[in-house]
Amino acid sequence: RYFHFCKLPGRVMGIRLLRFTSMVIIVLLLVAGALTALLPNIKDDKMPNLRREPKTQSQSALDSFTLIMQTYNRTDLLLKLLNHYQAIPHLHKIIVVWNNIGEKTPEEMWNSLGPHPVPVVFKVQTVNRMRNRLQNFPELETKAVLMMDDDTLVSAHDLAFAFSVWQQFPGHIVGFVPRKHIFTPSGVYSYGSFELQSPGFGNGDHYSMVLIGAAFFHSGYLEDFQRQPESVYALIDETQNCDDIAMNFLVAKHTGKPSGVFVKPVDIRNLEKDTNSGYSGMWHRAEHLLQRSYCVNKLVNIYDGMPLKYSNIMISQFGFPNYANHKNKM
Amino acid sequence: RYFHFCKLPGRVMGIRLLRFTSMVIIVLLLVAGALTALLPNIKDDKMPNLRREPKTQSQSALDSFTLIMQTYNRTDLLLKLLNHYQAIPHLHKIIVVWNNIGEKTPEEMWNSLGPHPVPVVFKVQTVNRMRNRLQNFPELETKAVLMMDDDTLVSAHDLAFAFSVWQQFPGHIVGFVPRKHIFTPSGVYSYGSFELQSPGFGNGDHYSMVLIGAAFFHSGYLEDFQRQPESVYALIDETQNCDDIAMNFLVAKHTGKPSGVFVKPVDIRNLEKDTNSGYSGMWHRAEHLLQRSYCVNKLVNIYDGMPLKYSNIMISQFGFPNYANHKNKM
């Protein structure tokens, strides 16, 4: 016999109908969900995904980087560079390390000339130290750091490409300025230059450091730097130099591989000459290179060994800027 | 009271002396072993280890590679190339895939002109198939394979450098000839050329394949290739083409990354014109490129998706051949 709806009391009928309707709705939702799951995935790799769509300000920690720029006595250059760097793709925030002790930052002027594409934080320092830029800033939210000297202008194309390279080599210092060390039979190291080719190197050259004044590296290394021996801080403070060499030692020791990956820049410029302050960089000091050799040897003592490793890999961007830069006559 | 040696019987005395002497020797050996362990390690990284000393014929499986060269109707080019490739550093063995069905190999002549730096094996084939070179040859002992077309001459410098790059990217096809695929809105793929820049690509170009006719790759991929669906073999046999595209699909699917790493060659030459046989390569056939587009689409069907990924990384050797190829005016 079949079920007669009509014969049931109204209240029971209502509840049963409610239950029945709820079940139907649930079943329909499940079916819809299943259908959605069965839809073909729009795979990213069907489209060239070289250029991601511009993201909003809530950039994911992995997809963007923080620019850290230390500045001393070259505020005119700083402001010129900020206008350029503030618009670089994938930039999350800028941290300006203000080494002009006792001097007001240009924050007010900066704000009056807003809005700006990204937030800029002026970190006022109490002592003018080279290693101020290697603090683990609480404002740092991204995995990647771009560190730039306050007189160096790198093109947006170079930075976008180098950032994509860093994302493939996140444990390395990925940057535009390679340097090397040389081991001499006497057991003493020298900070090498490329003007003189090493004897026995008929097969090209190599580098063992990438300077952090124009490079991307993982923000975790700033954390690690806070745990360096006091002697490392003392060395950097004594010379007002070598913080970049120290970072390369740290990274090489950590990875057991060459610390850096060199990306050949297409357009990198030093704006030193353009400053009104008359101040030219530390590297003009007569003792600059000798200091760096001194630092290499001191760090080898502190590290009880030489962790730096050589690489001869040079990375360029395929098909840029010359469309056929990869062509060869076969 | 103390122990008097002299008062003991001779035999007991002898055994105890023997034990005592043995103990002394053991202790001395342990001390010597401990001292040896405490000696400072001679670290490799104190010396530039870019160039390893020439190894003996018992090269470690990781430090050397096997050249696999398939040949058809160009024995004069083959022999010319063998004279060049037999002397490449880090070469372990050469496997010649002999597609000249029914024809004697030049093995006798080769042996009569010995000795040779490495062993050469002539693998006689029964059918002239493009995919013969993708067998998992039992003679293959190294982790790395260098695959070369029988009309392609790459300099020793390029090969030594590319091998060192492969050792850093062992899961990739590291080679000298990049290609790309293009996705069209109709859903049909095309095998791309670089003569026409993709619209919207003002920022350089990219590649999604590295051809195996001039490349290093892991020998494990030859094993994997034996497990491809029959439809892949049928496609390659039908077109006598596309084995390299199929390998790029295999590698990309396996790694989830771009299949290849492009190393920009300094000196790569096609010797086609130099052959006396009058035979020019398959790529001169009118339908060659159209076939490759056809293969891309067929493989997407077989793989039920497009596994190829794009890369724009171009690797060159730092400081070679131009000593200052990394310099820029700052």
Side-chain angles (χ1 to χ4, degrees):
Chain A
R1 63 184 177 198
Y2 56 98
F3 188 74
H4 288 275
F5 279 106
C6 324
K7 292 209 175 138
L8 290 168
R11 198 158 146 261
V12 174
M13 178 68 181
I15 287 170
R16 285 204 168 141
L17 191 61
L18 189 63
R19 278 195 196 153
F20 181 75
T21 321
S22 314
M23 292 275 301
V24 169
I25 290 172
I26 287 170
V27 169
L28 282 173
L29 285 171
L30 285 171
V31 169
L35 284 172
T36 313
L38 287 170
L39 281 173
N41 277 330
I42 295 170
K43 290 186 172 62
D44 267 1
D45 53 11
K46 281 192 170 155
M47 303 294 293
N49 66 351
L50 224 64
R51 285 256 150 272
R52 293 169 196 252
E53 284 80 21
K55 288 207 152 61
T56 62
Q57 271 175 349
S58 57
Q59 303 223 36
S60 128
L62 278 167
D63 282 344
S64 60
F65 59 88
T66 305
L67 168 62
I68 299 179
M69 187 177 285
Q70 179 156 277
T71 187
Y72 173 73
N73 205 359
R74 288 196 288 207
T75 308
D76 54 346
L77 287 187
L78 171 75
L79 296 175
K80 187 180 212 169
L81 292 172
L82 285 180
N83 185 62
H84 167 71
Y85 287 124
Q86 68 173 356
I88 300 291
H90 306 291
L91 177 67
H92 182 254
K93 181 188 292 178
I94 301 178
I95 295 174
V96 175
V97 184
W98 187 251
N99 268 3
N100 299 302
I101 313 306
E103 200 182 303
K104 248 179 87 175
T105 73
E107 186 162 9
E108 240 181 78
M109 189 238 294
W110 178 265
N111 292 335
S112 71
L113 292 170
H116 296 282
V118 296
V120 173
V121 179
F122 292 89
K123 301 291 292 186
V124 172
Q125 303 302 301
T126 50
V127 187
N128 177 14
R129 279 203 186 110
M130 186 62 77
R131 62 179 168 99
N132 283 340
R133 61 182 178 174
L134 294 179
Q135 294 171 70
N136 194 17
F137 302 101
E139 294 86 351
L140 184 53
E141 294 178 65
T142 59
K143 289 275 173 285
V145 167
L146 168 63
M147 190 158 281
M148 295 296 305
D149 285 345
D150 64 347
D151 60 359
T152 305
L153 180 64
V154 179
S155 78
H157 280 129
D158 283 311
L159 290 175
F161 178 61
F163 180 50
S164 75
V165 175
W166 175 84
Q167 289 173 313
Q168 299 172 63
F169 299 94
H172 294 265
I173 301 168
V174 177
F176 304 103
V177 185
R179 293 288 183 265
K180 73 181 174 192
H181 73 281
I182 293 170
F183 180 65
T184 65
S186 60
V188 179
Y189 292 90
S190 195
Y191 182 75
S193 91
F194 298 110
E195 281 69 44
L196 303 169
Q197 187 168 3
S198 303
F201 260 77
N203 286 318
D205 207 337
H206 55 188
Y207 58 94
S208 56
M209 288 171 272
V210 169
L211 302 188
I212 59 175
F216 289 91
F217 58 84
H218 199 291
S219 52
Y221 287 128
L222 288 179
E223 284 179 57
D224 292 346
F225 187 76
Q226 309 318 312
R227 293 191 291 270
Q228 285 280 279
E230 274 301 318
S231 45
V232 172
Y233 305 144
L235 176 66
I236 298 170
D237 293 342
E238 166 199 342
T239 54
Q240 282 287 68
N241 201 345
C242 309
D243 60 328
D244 46 2
I245 301 178
M247 274 298 270
N248 275 271
F249 268 70
L250 189 161
V251 174
K253 179 80 180 181
H254 182 262
T255 62
K257 298 179 184 181
S259 49
V261 172
F262 168 51
V263 174
K264 184 176 181 180
V266 171
D267 189 348
I268 184 171
R269 308 181 204 184
N270 185 298
L271 304 187
E272 267 192 323
K273 297 184 188 56
D274 299 356
T275 183
N276 296 327
S277 68
Y279 174 73
S280 51
M282 297 290 274
W283 66 285
H284 289 287
R285 294 175 305 164
E287 65 276 21
H288 177 83
L289 285 173
L290 285 172
Q291 266 189 339
R292 300 195 36 100
S293 292
Y294 169 77
C295 286
V296 170
N297 286 293
K298 288 282 272 192
L299 285 161
V300 166
N301 283 346
I302 296 168
Y303 273 71
D304 194 28
M306 167 52 94
L308 298 183
K309 289 194 158 52
Y310 294 102
S311 171
N312 63 353
I313 301 270
M314 181 165 76
I315 295 187
S316 304
Q317 188 176 354
F318 187 81
F320 184 88
N322 303 313
Y323 181 59
N325 74 345
H326 53 85
K327 288 275 183 201
N328 58 79
K329 43 190 198 308
M330 253 277 237
Chain B
R1 32 158 216 225
Y2 55 96
F3 189 75
H4 287 275
F5 280 105
C6 321
K7 293 208 169 130
L8 291 165
R11 198 160 144 257
V12 173
M13 178 67 183
I15 288 169
R16 284 200 169 146
L17 190 60
L18 189 62
R19 277 192 196 157
F20 180 77
T21 319
S22 312
M23 291 278 299
V24 168
I25 289 172
I26 287 169
V27 168
L28 283 173
L29 285 170
L30 286 170
V31 169
L35 284 173
T36 314
L38 285 170
L39 282 174
N41 278 329
I42 297 171
K43 290 185 173 60
D44 268 2
D45 53 11
K46 280 194 170 153
M47 303 294 293
N49 66 352
L50 224 62
R51 286 254 150 274
R52 293 171 196 253
E53 283 80 21
K55 288 208 154 60
T56 62
Q57 270 174 349
S58 56
Q59 303 225 35
S60 127
L62 279 167
D63 282 345
S64 59
F65 58 88
T66 304
L67 167 62
I68 299 178
M69 188 177 284
Q70 179 157 277
T71 186
Y72 174 73
N73 205 359
R74 287 196 288 209
T75 308
D76 55 345
L77 286 188
L78 170 75
L79 296 176
K80 188 180 210 167
L81 291 172
L82 286 180
N83 186 61
H84 167 70
Y85 287 124
Q86 69 174 354
I88 300 292
H90 306 291
L91 177 67
H92 182 253
K93 181 188 291 179
I94 300 177
I95 296 174
V96 174
V97 184
W98 187 251
N99 268 1
N100 299 300
I101 312 307
E103 199 182 305
K104 248 180 86 174
T105 74
E107 186 162 10
E108 239 181 78
M109 189 236 295
W110 177 265
N111 292 335
S112 72
L113 291 171
H116 296 283
V118 295
V120 174
V121 179
F122 291 89
K123 301 292 291 185
V124 172
Q125 303 302 300
T126 50
V127 187
N128 177 13
R129 279 206 184 108
M130 186 61 78
R131 63 178 169 99
N132 283 340
R133 62 182 178 173
L134 293 180
Q135 295 172 71
N136 194 18
F137 302 102
E139 294 86 350
L140 185 52
E141 294 177 65
T142 58
K143 289 275 173 283
V145 167
L146 168 63
M147 190 158 282
M148 295 295 305
D149 286 345
D150 65 346
D151 60 359
T152 306
L153 180 63
V154 179
S155 79
H157 280 128
D158 282 310
L159 290 175
F161 177 61
F163 181 50
S164 75
V165 175
W166 174 83
Q167 289 173 313
Q168 299 174 62
F169 299 93
H172 293 265
I173 300 169
V174 177
F176 303 103
V177 185
R179 293 288 184 264
K180 72 180 175 193
H181 73 281
I182 294 170
F183 180 66
T184 66
S186 59
V188 178
Y189 290 91
S190 195
Y191 182 75
S193 92
F194 298 111
E195 281 70 45
L196 303 169
Q197 187 167 5
S198 304
F201 259 77
N203 285 318
D205 208 336
H206 55 188
Y207 58 95
S208 57
M209 289 171 273
V210 169
L211 302 188
I212 60 175
F216 289 91
F217 58 83
H218 200 290
S219 53
Y221 287 128
L222 288 179
E223 283 179 56
D224 293 347
F225 187 76
Q226 309 317 311
R227 293 191 290 270
Q228 287 278 280
E230 274 300 317
S231 45
V232 171
Y233 305 143
L235 176 66
I236 297 170
D237 293 343
E238 165 199 345
T239 55
Q240 282 287 67
N241 201 344
C242 309
D243 60 328
D244 45 3
I245 301 178
M247 274 299 268
N248 274 271
F249 268 70
L250 189 160
V251 174
K253 180 79 181 183
H254 183 263
T255 62
K257 298 180 184 183
S259 49
V261 171
F262 169 50
V263 174
K264 184 176 181 181
V266 171
D267 189 347
I268 184 172
R269 308 180 203 184
N270 185 298
L271 304 187
E272 266 193 325
K273 298 184 186 55
D274 299 355
T275 185
N276 295 328
S277 69
Y279 173 73
S280 51
M282 299 291 275
W283 65 284
H284 289 287
R285 296 175 304 165
E287 66 275 22
H288 176 83
L289 285 173
L290 285 172
Q291 266 187 342
R292 292 176 67 83
S293 291
Y294 169 77
C295 286
V296 171
N297 286 293
K298 288 282 273 191
L299 284 162
V300 166
N301 283 346
I302 296 169
Y303 273 72
D304 195 29
M306 168 51 93
L308 298 183
K309 288 193 160 49
Y310 293 103
S311 172
N312 63 354
I313 300 271
M314 179 166 76
I315 295 187
S316 304
Q317 188 176 354
F318 186 81
F320 184 88
N322 303 312
Y323 181 60
N325 73 345
H326 53 84
K327 289 276 185 199
N328 57 78
K329 41 190 200 308
M330 253 278 234

